[in-house]
Amino acid sequence: MPQPQGQQLEEQQPGEQDPITLEVVDLMANLVSLFHKDYEDAAAARALTGAQAKVLGLLRRGPLPMRQIAQTLSCEPSNITGIVDRLELRGLVERQADPADRRIKLVATTEAGRAASSELRESLRFAREPLASLAQGERTQLRDLLRRIIDGARHQG
């Protein structure tokens, strides 16, 4: 007798994953690996490390305290200090006092840093070409599903 749509054929035990979930996890891992390779290559072509490129990417939204950069990138604040020092030497970022609390230093991109960040982002081929093969509705659906996955992961952590 056919099962109603959406009903599982067999009960899963807690923690057990169905074959499709396992395949999706593998596909996501493969996707992340491909993205990181393209990102690292794009950064290297601009004489940046992957970490430096990530900091510039984060700062696209505006100045951030170094502690927040460290938390977002899941690394030690001392590592961020070294990364910011090197970006500052190249004229890509600058440190500024936080207008709300002058004890806090914000990191902001300079004009050159914004240009480098935009150029790097535009050069990423990884997703652009494969996504172009999807219809607009498929890209919208994929975006919405990815947002749900990310929101779900954030609520768990």
Side-chain angles (χ1 to χ4, degrees), residues 56-98:
L56 285 176
L58 276 178
L59 295 174
R60 287 173 53 87
R61 299 179 202 134
L64 292 171
M66 294 220 296
R67 181 168 302 284
Q68 186 175 344
I69 295 169
Q71 289 170 342
T72 302
L73 296 180
S74 300
C75 64
E76 293 296 318
S78 60
N79 289 347
I80 295 303
T81 299
I83 292 166
V84 168
D85 286 347
R86 289 185 288 284
L87 288 170
E88 193 171 36
L89 283 172
R90 292 184 56 186
L92 299 175
V93 301
E94 61 187 6
R95 289 174 169 92
Q96 306 170 341
D98 185 338

Side-chain angles (χ1 to χ4, degrees), residues 24-38:
V24 168
V25 169
D26 287 343
L27 289 168
M28 287 171 48
N30 197 349
L31 193 68
V32 167
S33 177
L34 290 169
F35 176 78
H36 279 295
K37 180 176 180 349
D38 191 35

